[in-house]
Amino acid sequence: MATGKTKTVWFCKECGNESPKWMGRCPACGEWNTMVEETVATGKKTAGVQSVSVPGSSQKPMPLSQIDSSHEQRISLNNGEVDRILGGGLVEGSLVLIGGEPGIGKSTLSLQIPLHCPHLKTLYVTGEESAKQVKLRAARIGGDDSGCMIYSETLMENIIAEARAMMPDLMVVDSVQTMFSQNVESSPGSVTQIKETAAMLLRFAKETGVPVILIGHITKEGSIAGPKILEHIVDVVLQFEGDNRGTYRLLRSIKNRFGSTSELAVFEMTGKGLREVSNPSEMLIPMHEEGLSGVAVSAMLDGTRPFLIEVQSLVSTAAYGTPQRSATGFDVRRLNMLLAVLEKRAGFKLSVKDVFLNMAGGLKVSDPACDLAVISAVLSSNFDFAIPSDVCFAGEIGLSGEIRPVAQTDRRIIEAARLGFRKIYVSSFSSLEGISGELAKLKGKSQGAGIEIVKVADVPSLCRTLFK
Ligand code: TYD
Ligand code: MG
């Protein structure tokens, strides 16, 4: 236990900002009612980011040109999707945080990795489940457990000592909220403990070169000290998203010191762990042969990856005075804006209708290119007029009803063609140089039998061409 005096300080559980007194609103991140009181030991260096900037402190300053970067080793995790979002495998000595709501599949993924990589000596530290529970889970996932050591422990000093003795090729710590260090006098899961745990793991990873995967929970309200406060300590942050009830899980890279961010990987939760979905469009586009009214497909882009997603809408007469607007996976304010545009620029009386919108697969969409599919789905439901299932859309709607071009329209068109779509609606202002060459190449290869590109300038002309 720490010696010396103890004092209490207040921490923001959202961003980790420290304050000597309670405040209603955190001055650093602006969140309300997030300050929690914690005891810290004084007279001795305690938790915090300050203490983590020392790895390799025996080094002297040296010219950039003399630094050898060629030995940056990447370890393949035998999982194409995870390797891809890490930027081509796990970097030695990196600290990777996997965050997500409880039950989303963090433990499953991080156990699945060693089971599918028996050549890697792995130390799997579990503070959350007993070793027996881990065993049962491993039996469900299958694979080869010969390289995997399970260690049920929550005291960080013991964990680091074991890890130093074993020198594994990979270390997994599940979860940061259950670990604690003797250096810090507060309970596991508190801001100081979380920071100290991460700092100790970071020091271990940098000094030994062992990559560490750290799991952290976040709740919907962010009500416990979540991975947010760790984001600036770790090298990579991967976040699990998706609907717990649905079977699809999305893993997004939101910080990566060794690769690009805003990459997205898609998994399906099966009875035997998480299955990679290497072609997400297949899960997100309709199964029905005939078009249904209220359904439109959007050629969207998440990160650097184009894929097609089904947008579903239901428009019905408002049962009560105030019409309802509800959206799953789409910003409801944006939906209201699009409905107002339809009302004003195309004369549709949607104000007396309830409008429901849903994105397939539990995906949260923020790409403005989905606007065009959203209004097409709404109009299609409103008129009860089906859009053929081989038609898709990519365009942003402006306030005056104009259809604006979106980033990388050519890649969206190529993805749509590759998946066998026959027609795509885009903005008339899109520049599409070189697209015909790309499409011709595709034509020779597979089902991309040729896609018709329909350019539309505004909402009224979309209605004219779509519902003629
Ligand atoms: P888990 O990985 O424990 O989530 P987290 O660590 O993020 O809290 O479990 C995710 C859920 O997945 C759990 O409800 C059980 C389910 N599951 C399967 O459907 N198939 C499987 O093979 C496994 C291991 C779990
Ligand atoms: Mg878990």
Side-chain angles (χ1 to χ4, degrees):
M1 281 287 147
T3 49
K5 280 199 305 186
T6 59
K7 62 165 190 172
T8 61
V9 293
W10 294 83
F11 282 107
C12 168
K13 59 189 178 189
E14 282 295 321
C15 69
N17 181 45
E18 192 179 320
S19 154
K21 61 178 200 309
W22 182 84
M23 273 184 270
R25 185 180 192 203
C26 170
C29 68
E31 287 295 316
W32 287 93
N33 205 15
T34 55
M35 302 302 274
V36 286
E37 187 177 18
E38 284 183 15
T39 319
V40 294
T42 53
K44 167 168 185 171
K45 200 161 188 188
T46 55
V49 209
Q50 314 88 291
S51 57
V52 301
S53 54
V54 287
S57 52
S58 57
Q59 302 251 339
K60 291 266 176 285
M62 63 164 106
L64 196 56
S65 57
Q66 285 175 22
I67 298 174
D68 180 16
S69 62
S70 58
H71 63 271
E72 185 192 274
Q73 291 285 333
R74 289 204 184 240
I75 306 167
S76 164
L77 297 177
N78 262 350
N79 186 316
E81 291 289 284
V82 177
D83 282 347
R84 188 174 57 77
I85 61 168
L86 286 172
L90 193 59
V91 174
E92 278 188 356
S94 62
L95 181 58
V96 177
L97 177 72
I98 300 185
E101 289 165 25
I104 195 106
K106 301 177 296 297
S107 306
T108 305
L109 181 70
S110 46
L111 182 60
Q112 193 169 327
I113 289 170
L115 290 177
H116 291 172
C117 297
H119 57 283
L120 295 180
K121 196 164 65 162
T122 308
L123 179 61
Y124 186 100
V125 183
T126 167
E128 208 137 275
E129 292 158 325
S130 66
K132 210 166 169 184
Q133 281 171 307
V134 177
K135 167 93 187 164
L136 289 174
R137 187 193 294 264
R140 252 180 109 171
I141 297 172
D144 183 348
D145 58 8
S146 54
C148 193
M149 299 285 283
I150 307 293
Y151 184 31
S152 180
E153 176 61 273
T154 52
L155 182 64
M156 280 310 293
E157 280 75 13
N158 288 351
I159 293 169
I160 297 291
E162 281 299 331
R164 283 192 189 276
M166 176 178 162
M167 284 305 283
D169 300 319
L170 171 67
M171 178 164 165
V172 177
V173 178
D174 185 9
S175 66
V176 67
Q177 272 90 4
T178 55
M179 301 297 155
F180 74 104
S181 159
Q182 286 173 336
N183 288 337
V184 181
E185 279 185 22
S186 52
S187 53
S190 62
V191 178
T192 17
Q193 285 288 7
I194 285 182
K195 281 187 171 176
E196 178 68 9
T197 298
M200 287 173 84
L201 289 171
L202 183 70
R203 227 173 295 137
F204 169 73
K206 299 296 167 203
E207 283 170 14
T208 59
V210 174
V212 180
I213 295 179
L214 179 61
I215 294 178
H217 293 289
I218 46 177
T219 62
K220 280 213 169 81
E221 310 80 39
S223 60
I224 49 163
K228 270 221 147 96
I229 54 172
L230 296 174
E231 275 174 22
H232 57 289
I233 304 182
V234 301
D235 297 311
V236 179
V237 181
L238 304 181
Q239 188 152 323
F240 249 120
E241 288 171 13
D243 191 353
N244 278 5
R245 287 155 299 162
T247 57
Y248 292 109
R249 303 285 193 272
L250 307 163
L251 190 62
R252 201 184 286 282
S253 126
I254 49 180
K255 166 177 176 178
N256 192 347
R257 288 191 179 141
F258 317 106
S260 86
T261 49
S262 56
E263 282 289 349
L264 183 77
V266 183
F267 295 95
E268 185 186 5
M269 182 61 95
T270 67
K272 292 168 76 186
L274 290 158
R275 184 181 73 84
E276 297 167 47
V277 179
S278 41
N279 185 0
S281 300
E282 272 160 24
M283 81 186 203
L284 297 168
I285 55 178
M287 303 299 154
H288 23 263
E289 283 290 299
E290 292 294 303
L292 298 174
S293 78
V295 169
V297 175
S298 177
M300 64 167 287
L301 205 65
D302 203 306
T304 56
R305 186 177 208 196
F307 56 84
L308 285 99
I309 178 174
E310 183 181 290
V311 180
Q312 301 154 348
S313 168
L314 177 68
V315 178
S316 65
T317 310
Y320 305 102
T322 324
Q324 291 188 60
R325 271 92 174 85
S326 137
T328 314
F330 191 78
D331 183 7
V332 76
R333 277 170 304 178
R334 182 111 196 140
L335 174 64
N336 280 327
M337 188 282 268
L338 294 175
L339 294 177
V341 169
L342 285 182
E343 188 103 50
K344 174 92 181 170
R345 307 288 169 190
F348 297 108
K349 291 278 167 277
L350 286 161
S351 60
V352 292
K353 305 271 185 158
D354 289 340
V355 178
F356 304 96
L357 190 76
N358 182 33
M359 296 287 157
L363 203 70
K364 289 192 192 73
V365 168
S366 57
D367 184 357
C370 288
D371 290 356
L372 197 54
V374 168
I375 61 161
S376 303
V378 167
L379 291 172
S380 159
S381 177
N382 191 45
F383 296 144
D384 201 14
F385 184 101
I387 299 169
S389 55
D390 57 0
V391 171
C392 63
F393 303 85
E396 182 182 346
I397 309 289
L399 283 181
S400 53
E402 81 278 19
I403 296 171
R404 307 159 64 103
V406 289
Q408 310 200 32
T409 307
D410 46 350
R411 292 188 53 208
R412 299 170 199 260
I413 296 174
I414 289 164
E415 174 74 1
R418 205 176 61 74
L419 288 164
F421 281 82
R422 305 301 297 270
K423 203 184 250 188
I424 182 165
Y425 285 79
V426 298
S427 163
S428 6
F429 310 104
S430 315
S431 67
L432 296 171
E433 289 147 29
I435 184 93
S436 45
E438 290 283 336
L439 286 174
K441 256 190 264 166
L442 204 64
K443 213 168 177 174
K445 247 187 251 164
S446 61
Q447 71 270 57
I451 187 165
E452 183 190 346
I453 301 169
V454 185
K455 291 187 163 187
V456 277
D458 50 25
V459 174
S461 65
L462 172 76
C463 298
R464 279 196 302 277
T465 44
L466 197 56
F467 304 112
K468 58 184 171 235

